[in-house]
């Protein structure tokens, strides 16, 4: 949604972003005079009584809150919302748009009811109500965007909703990171996270060292360290649709390959993000006794995240769509940095990840461990599969967010505003 806001501002439109201010927005948003941020507090509802009543009270409170906020903002031509989360936002936004005379656009990234079903089961009463609600009010929108052709077809076939496919594309900030910037990031990360620090028994005169790079303090020249570990990165919202036990099991197998004498590098595995299951997995990670693998789970500022992606050697994606119809944006960002990916298989993943071209697709931890062994067998040489995938990404001429948005969304906005 921040990308939408920046694209609208770039074409001269004023934008108000409404949402929970849980994390710091991107600096470009904060510095843009055309973009205002209207932060709302996350209401909890009743804290006592049966669970269904507590949940219902939260929804009701949020309805009144969102309706009040939407009705008091300055007049806008469009109200654009992302779904999920759509409960209660879709109904409230539709009512407000009718009263204000705005066009109402839904950007479909998934179905909210399928995410609820991960926890409660498909046959749960609340899930069935959520599905009915999402379909009913989704059909009342004026325009619709969606993230895959598979979702576009599903919306048309099952809900009679006509949508435009707007693939997530990386903005220009996602690119390969120059070595000097890599070193600066690793130094900052090393002040907080041990895996980024050099081995304590390694010292070099006039050299500033990290686990991956070294800088000559006299000349300023930066080079990669000999025998450096491979940097593997995965980002997550730590929810039920991402099973990180798969990655941990694959890392255990990788450790066994190294112990058995396979010529493989040590790994630093960085898992970024915030979410409800983070503490559970942190305890699981802390219980592991790896000798050749170090894992850290930092939260990165918006400006540092693309720099880290552009510095990594391999990305791993464990997003398994609850509907099978959306695509992981984290892979989009990785590809923007020309970072090859291993991604877990689901229905429409082929619309993004081309197996054996820009990455590999796996189905379980055993398959992932074999892929890690294969991809890192030639490390750090760029002549193996990992290097080939990166070369393919560099040469793919992949489209960026701005040009994709200008082609798919700008005509829709101009049509109404003109």
């Amino acid at each position: 949604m921040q990308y939408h806001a920046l694209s609208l501002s770039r074409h001269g439109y004023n934008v108000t972003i409404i949402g929970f201010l849980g994390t710091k927005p991107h600096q470009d948003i904060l510095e843009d005079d055309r973009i205002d941020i209207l932060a709302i507090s996350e209401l909890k509802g009743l804290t006592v009584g049966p669970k269904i009543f507590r949940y219902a009270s939260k929804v009701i409170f949020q309805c009144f809150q969102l309706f009040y906020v939407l009705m008091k903002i300055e007049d806008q031509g469009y109200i654009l919302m992302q779904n999920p989360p759509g409960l209660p936002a879709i109904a409230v936004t539709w009512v407000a748009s009718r009263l204000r005379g705005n066009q109402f656009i839904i950007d479909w990234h998934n179905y909210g009811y399928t995410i609820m079903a991960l926890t409660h089961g498909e046959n749960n009463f609340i899930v069935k109500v959520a599905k009915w609600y999402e379909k009913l009010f989704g059909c009342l929108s004026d325009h619709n965007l969606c993230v895959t052709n598979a979702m576009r077809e599903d919306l048309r076939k099952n809900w009679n909703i006509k949508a435009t496919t707007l693939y997530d594309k990386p903005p220009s900030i996602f690119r390969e990171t120059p070595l000097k910037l890599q070193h600066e990031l690793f130094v900052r990360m090393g002040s907080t996270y041990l895996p980024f620090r050099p081995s304590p028994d390694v010292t070099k005169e006039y050299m500033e060292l990290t686990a991956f790079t070294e800088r000559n303090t006299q000349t300023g020249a930066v080079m990669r360290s000999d025998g450096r570990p491979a940097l593997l990165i995965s980002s997550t919202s730590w929810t039920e649709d991402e099973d990180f036990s798969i990655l941990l099991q694959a890392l255990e197998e990788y450790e066994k390959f190294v112990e058995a004498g396979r010529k493989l590098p040590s790994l630093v595995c960085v898992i970024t993000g915030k979410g409800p299951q983070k503490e559970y997995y942190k305890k699981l990670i802390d219980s592991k006794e790896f000798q050749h693998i170090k894992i850290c789970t930092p939260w990165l500022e918006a400006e540092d995240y693309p720099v880290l992606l552009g510095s990594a050697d391999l990305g791993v994606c464990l997003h398994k769509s609850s509907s099978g119809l959306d695509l992981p944006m984290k892979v989009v960002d990785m590809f923007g940095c020309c970072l090859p990916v291993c991604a877990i298989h689901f229905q429409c993943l082929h619309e993004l990840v081309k197996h054996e071209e820009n990455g590999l697709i796996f189905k379980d931890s055993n398959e992932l461990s074999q892929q890690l062994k294969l991809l890192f067998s030639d490390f750090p040489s760029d002549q193996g599969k990992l290097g080939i995938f990166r070369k393919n990404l560099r040469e793919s001429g992949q489209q960026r967010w701005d040009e994709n948005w200008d082609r798919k969304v700008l005509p829709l906005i101009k049509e109404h505003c003109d």
Side-chain angles (χ1 to χ4, degrees):
M1 296 303 286
Q2 294 185 74
Y3 298 165
H4 277 300
L6 289 169
S7 292
L8 286 162
S9 173
R10 185 166 51 87
H11 286 281
Y13 298 100
N14 295 319
V15 183
T16 301
I17 298 178
I18 302 171
F20 302 132
L21 196 58
T23 56
K24 178 186 172 185
H26 195 279
Q27 196 63 31
D28 288 348
I29 294 285
L30 298 175
E31 295 175 354
D32 196 312
D33 292 336
R34 293 186 181 276
I35 300 176
D36 293 322
I37 298 176
L38 185 53
I40 56 177
S41 57
E42 189 168 2
L43 302 178
K44 300 297 183 182
L46 299 176
T47 57
V48 295
K51 188 174 182 179
I52 184 68
F53 289 114
R54 284 183 278 140
Y55 181 76
S57 69
K58 178 181 177 180
V59 170
I60 292 170
F61 292 162
Q62 288 180 335
C63 282
F64 283 106
Q65 177 192 39
L66 182 58
F67 182 74
Y68 172 76
V69 169
L70 287 172
M71 293 304 294
K72 79 170 188 177
I73 61 174
E74 293 182 7
D75 189 34
Q76 306 285 358
Y78 277 92
I79 301 178
L80 168 65
M81 68 157 286
Q82 178 180 304
N83 182 64
L87 183 66
I90 297 180
V92 177
T93 306
W94 173 73
V95 171
S97 68
R98 297 292 78 96
L99 292 174
R100 293 171 54 94
N102 302 141
Q103 294 282 296
F104 176 32
I105 307 175
I106 300 177
D107 188 0
W108 297 84
H109 280 239
N110 202 348
Y111 297 136
Y113 79 89
T114 63
I115 296 175
M116 294 177 66
L118 292 175
T119 303
H120 303 291
E122 292 183 11
N123 296 320
N124 183 277
F125 174 73
I126 293 178
V127 174
K128 289 183 177 180
V129 170
K131 181 178 181 181
W132 168 84
Y133 160 89
E134 206 165 1
K135 178 178 180 180
L136 172 65
F137 287 98
C139 290
L140 298 176
S141 58
D142 297 299
H143 307 281
N144 296 274
L145 306 170
C146 63
V147 291
T148 64
N149 287 329
M151 178 169 278
R152 182 189 65 190
E153 181 60 21
D154 190 78
L155 284 166
R156 183 197 64 78
K157 182 179 179 182
N158 295 319
W159 290 9
N160 196 31
I161 292 176
K162 183 180 179 182
T164 298
T165 302
L166 179 70
Y167 283 118
D168 281 325
K169 299 289 183 181
S172 58
I173 58 173
F174 287 94
R175 57 187 183 273
E176 290 185 81
T177 304
L179 195 55
K180 182 176 181 292
L181 291 182
Q182 289 187 32
H183 179 77
E184 292 172 358
L185 176 67
F186 295 152
V187 169
R188 293 201 305 276
M189 297 286 286
S191 66
T192 307
Y193 303 103
L194 285 173
F196 288 86
R197 298 177 190 174
S199 175
D201 57 353
V202 175
T203 57
K204 293 184 180 181
E205 191 176 11
Y206 304 122
M207 300 298 284
E208 181 183 53
L209 304 177
T210 74
F212 307 93
T213 55
E214 48 191 59
R215 183 181 72 88
N216 187 305
T217 56
Q218 293 185 319
T219 67
V222 178
M223 63 187 72
R224 301 189 191 280
S225 302
D226 291 334
R228 69 183 178 93
L231 179 55
L232 182 152
I233 186 166
S234 185
S235 55
T236 177
S237 52
W238 298 106
T239 51
E240 290 87 350
D241 59 355
E242 292 178 294
D243 183 0
F244 265 82
S245 64
I246 293 174
L247 176 58
L248 294 179
Q249 290 166 17
L251 292 176
E252 288 179 336
E253 290 301 310
Y254 184 91
E255 175 96 350
K256 292 177 183 177
F257 296 148
V258 179
E259 293 287 350
R262 295 298 298 255
K263 188 180 178 182
L264 294 167
S266 298
L267 294 183
V268 170
C269 180
V270 180
I271 307 172
T272 71
K274 289 182 178 179
Q277 293 192 324
K278 183 172 183 177
E279 289 306 314
Y280 166 77
Y281 278 110
K282 279 187 69 176
K283 290 178 181 177
L284 203 58
I285 290 167
D286 291 341
S287 70
K288 306 297 180 184
E289 297 182 354
F290 292 126
Q291 300 300 313
H292 306 280
I293 299 168
K294 296 178 181 178
I295 303 174
C296 64
T297 56
W299 170 254
L300 296 173
E301 295 294 341
E303 290 75 26
D304 284 339
Y305 178 61
V307 180
L308 183 61
L309 285 189
S311 307
D313 298 298
L314 178 67
V316 172
C317 175
L318 293 160
H319 172 84
K320 201 167 186 178
S321 169
S322 60
S323 65
L325 299 172
D326 68 309
L327 293 173
M329 193 164 183
K330 65 200 74 177
V331 173
V332 174
D333 295 337
M334 290 172 181
F335 283 171
C337 296
C338 296
L339 178 63
V341 168
C342 290
I344 195 165
H345 175 268
F346 63 87
Q347 180 180 327
C348 67
L349 184 62
H350 64 276
E351 291 191 36
L352 178 61
V353 181
K354 312 299 182 185
H355 188 65
E356 293 283 359
E357 181 178 323
N358 54 21
L360 297 173
I361 296 173
F362 61 90
K363 293 182 179 178
D364 53 36
S365 60
N366 180 64
E367 201 167 0
L368 175 57
S369 68
Q370 294 296 328
Q371 291 177 359
L372 295 179
K373 180 174 69 172
L374 170 69
L375 293 175
F376 289 128
S377 60
D378 298 305
F379 187 84
S381 168
D382 59 2
Q383 301 304 308
K385 270 191 177 295
L386 205 55
I388 293 171
F389 293 161
R390 192 181 289 273
K391 180 174 179 288
N392 290 343
L393 285 166
R394 286 171 179 155
E395 295 176 350
S396 65
Q398 53 186 316
Q399 197 177 49
R400 293 288 171 165
W401 170 269
D402 285 341
E403 55 187 306
N404 188 45
W405 192 93
D406 288 356
R407 189 165 61 90
K408 294 292 186 71
V409 183
L410 183 59
L412 182 154
I413 302 294
K414 280 188 170 181
E415 178 185 350
H416 174 72
C417 291
D418 291 346

